[in-house]
């Protein structure tokens, strides 16, 4: 029996990574909404858990973890070894590679697009900045398109935490008011993810 608590608003893409992992592994957990319309990020009690005052934060018994990718890796290793977390280092290495690439390259690109296009009022839109962020996002998706031509999932033949940290972008990508190029391999990957109940529960959350 687990004793897991997760803090964060469900519309946060970083929180969704943790939720998807928890749901994928069938782990019971207590969810506390926090951030956005839910106050408390600056409460001393929460800052004692997460000094950054951001979400998500996860507590598993006496262990507290922040940073979404660290949370996903921990859950995958602790509760999904041999499943989301391959035990063989040579099998796991590409998964770590793509997971880190998401953090350093893909997420900054698509988050910049999302904030400039969706979270910024239309009258304040900077078209040049939007176009730059869109081009960067498409470039990243083109990189994934090449990878997914070779294997069904970013890490290889099976779903892994690399797909979780990358796949949370898909709801926003497919629903934003933008022109999207045809990316058949990415679209097929999206369909495979969408067939998973854990993905639908965690990711298909309105960002309005």
């Amino acid at each position: 029996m687990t004793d897991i608590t997760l803090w964060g608003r469900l519309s946060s893409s970083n929180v969704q990574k943790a939720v998807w992992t928890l749901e994928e592994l069938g782990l019971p957990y207590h969810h506390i909404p926090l951030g956005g319309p839910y106050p408390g990020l600056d409460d001393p009690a929460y800052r004692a858990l997460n000094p950054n005052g951001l979400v998500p934060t996860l507590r598993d018994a006496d262990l507290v973890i922040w940073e979404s990718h660290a949370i996903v890796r921990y859950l995958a290793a602790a509760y999904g070894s041999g499943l989301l977390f391959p035990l063989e280092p040579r099998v796991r290495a590409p998964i770590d590679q793509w997971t880190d690439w998401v953090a350093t390259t893909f997420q900054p690109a698509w988050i910049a697009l999302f904030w400039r296009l969706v979270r910024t009022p239309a009258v304040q839109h900077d078209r040049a900045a939007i176009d730059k962020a869109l081009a960067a996002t498409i470039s990243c998706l083109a990189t994934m398109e090449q990878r997914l031509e070779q294997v069904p999932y970013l890490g290889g033949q099976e779903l892994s935490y690399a797909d979780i940290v990358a796949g949370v972008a898909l709801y926003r990508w497919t629903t934003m008011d933008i022109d999207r190029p045809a990316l058949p391999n990415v679209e097929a990957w999206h369909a495979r993810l969408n067939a998973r109940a854990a993905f639908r529960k965690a990711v298909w959350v309105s960002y309005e």
Side-chain angles (χ1 to χ4, degrees), residues 135-152:
T137 303
I138 291 173
S139 177
C140 290
L141 289 165
T143 299
M144 286 193 280
E145 177 74 8
Q146 293 176 348
R147 170 63 171 170
L148 293 166
E149 186 177 11
Q150 303 165 354
V151 289

Side-chain angles (χ1 to χ4, degrees), residues 6 8-9 29 63 66 72 86 92 95 98 105-107 120 123 130 137 143 145 151 159 175 207:
L6 176 69
R9 58 182 174 85
Y29 60 97
L63 175 67
W66 37 267
V72 169
R92 201 168 62 245
I95 297 170
W98 285 100
T105 307
F106 180 45
Q107 181 153 313
T120 301
V123 295
I130 290 172
T137 303
T143 299
E145 177 74 8
V151 289
L159 181 84
T175 56
Y207 50 76

Side-chain angles (χ1 to χ4, degrees), residues 5-183:
T5 301
L6 176 69
W7 286 263
R9 58 182 174 85
L10 296 178
S11 59
S12 160
S13 60
N14 285 329
V15 174
Q16 289 171 5
K17 297 171 189 177
V19 172
W20 181 2
T21 308
L22 289 163
E23 295 290 338
E24 195 71 47
L25 295 171
L27 295 172
Y29 60 97
H30 176 55
H31 171 243
I32 299 176
L34 193 67
Y38 306 101
L41 289 176
D42 291 325
D43 287 354
Y46 184 70
R47 286 283 182 149
L49 298 173
N50 186 334
N52 297 296
L54 301 172
V55 293
T57 298
L58 181 132
R59 182 172 62 201
D60 184 2
D62 61 349
L63 175 67
V64 176
I65 313 170
W66 37 267
E67 288 296 329
S68 60
H69 289 202
I71 290 170
V72 169
R73 278 191 175 105
Y74 165 72
L75 291 171
Y79 298 103
S81 289
L83 299 172
L84 294 178
F85 190 91
L87 299 177
E88 169 57 48
R90 292 181 66 88
V91 177
R92 201 168 62 245
I95 297 170
D96 281 329
Q97 168 188 277
W98 285 100
T99 299
D100 290 352
W101 175 84
V102 169
T104 61
T105 307
F106 180 45
Q107 181 153 313
W110 79 259
I111 286 289
L113 173 63
F114 179 75
W115 278 91
R116 287 175 169 84
L117 182 67
V118 177
R119 292 296 188 222
T120 301
V123 295
Q124 298 176 20
H125 276 183
D126 181 336
R127 179 48 56 183
I130 290 172
D131 289 346
K132 181 179 179 180
L134 177 59
T137 303
I138 291 173
S139 177
C140 290
L141 289 165
T143 299
M144 286 193 280
E145 177 74 8
Q146 293 176 348
R147 170 63 171 170
L148 293 166
E149 186 177 11
Q150 303 165 354
V151 289
Y153 297 98
L154 287 177
Q157 296 300 320
E158 304 293 337
L159 181 84
S160 71
Y161 50 86
D163 301 285
I164 290 175
V165 300
V168 297
L170 294 175
Y171 178 74
R172 288 165 171 78
W173 173 249
T174 57
T175 56
M176 284 190 286
D177 185 17
I178 53 176
D179 291 327
R180 284 172 287 275
L183 297 163

